[in-house]
Amino acid sequence: ALQAECLLEGRSLPSCPHDEFSLVSDVLNRMAQNLDAMAEQVGLLSQASGQGNLRLRGETKQIVGQLREVVFDINNILDQALGPVNSQATALQQMADGDLTVRIVEEPAGDHARIRNAINQVSSIASSAIDEFRLLIIAFEAGEYERRAKASKFKGSWNSVMSGVNSVLDELHRT
């Protein structure tokens, strides 16, 4: 009972040399140290992720047995979750840098697929808007002042922008 209480509280077990209790005590102490090492790594990962450091991985060298596998599995979860996030962040950065043709081609599952689809949709809509503006410019340069943007192809703010451009062109055409 004393040994179980010590383990529960995270304390070292008392040892009695040269008997079976000593052997059990040593094994239980090593188990407690292994649990402590795993708990420390999981705590570091939790703290790091809370601070936005998603590159940190748990160190498994000090941990043995199935507890090592727990930390290894947590590292794998982070890798699998962050792979698509990195791809999505790269695509968004390319869009921010002006490349509106970028598309995410990987086929992630679940929530990552939902995010990928939304990013690709925004990129596609922005590209379509740029194409509309190019066609208007080409028409204007060719003297086709009646040409208007196809505002009905767009929803929400994009429709408002296209309709606003058409209103400006209407005013310019009247003067």
Side-chain angles (χ1 to χ4, degrees):
L2 176 63
Q3 294 81 14
E5 185 178 324
C6 288
L7 272 180
L8 185 62
E9 294 174 0
R11 294 183 285 138
S12 294
L13 297 173
S15 62
C16 301
H18 308 301
D19 64 9
E20 196 171 301
F21 175 75
S22 177
L23 177 63
V24 171
S25 177
D26 288 343
V27 169
L28 290 175
N29 276 328
R30 288 196 314 260
M31 287 174 56
Q33 290 168 350
N34 200 32
L35 280 168
D36 286 345
M38 185 200 69
E40 179 183 359
Q41 291 305 308
V42 171
L44 289 172
L45 290 171
S46 177
Q47 182 180 16
S49 70
Q51 295 170 347
N53 179 2
L54 303 177
R55 294 177 191 253
L56 184 70
R57 296 296 176 267
E59 182 59 58
T60 59
K61 290 177 188 172
Q62 299 173 327
I63 307 168
V64 296
Q66 289 182 320
L67 297 181
R68 174 184 278 180
E69 293 301 313
V70 170
V71 175
F72 182 75
D73 288 345
I74 291 171
N75 289 343
N76 281 339
I77 289 169
L78 288 169
D79 291 340
Q80 291 171 11
L82 289 177
V85 169
N86 290 332
S87 176
Q88 295 156 1
T90 298
L92 288 171
Q93 186 59 56
Q94 288 173 309
M95 290 171 64
D97 291 341
D99 181 2
L100 300 178
T101 63
V102 67
R103 300 293 186 274
I104 300 172
V105 295
E106 292 89 1
E107 296 284 337
D111 292 334
H112 289 296
R114 214 177 81 229
I115 295 167
R116 182 216 48 222
N117 293 342
I119 290 171
N120 286 347
Q121 186 177 11
V122 167
S123 180
S124 179
I125 292 168
S127 286
S128 292
I130 296 297
D131 290 343
E132 268 311 299
F133 291 134
R134 281 189 191 123
L135 291 173
L136 288 173
I137 291 167
I138 290 168
F140 185 79
E141 289 173 342
E144 300 172 19
Y145 304 120
E146 300 80 27
R147 169 84 188 209
R148 297 297 177 262
K150 296 177 183 169
S152 62
K153 287 179 26 179
F154 300 93
K155 297 188 281 188
S157 296
W158 292 103
N159 179 277
S160 296
V161 168
M162 292 300 168
S163 296
V165 167
N166 287 342
S167 294
V168 169
L169 291 173
D170 288 343
E171 276 302 310
L172 288 173
H173 187 65
R174 276 185 241 167
T175 56

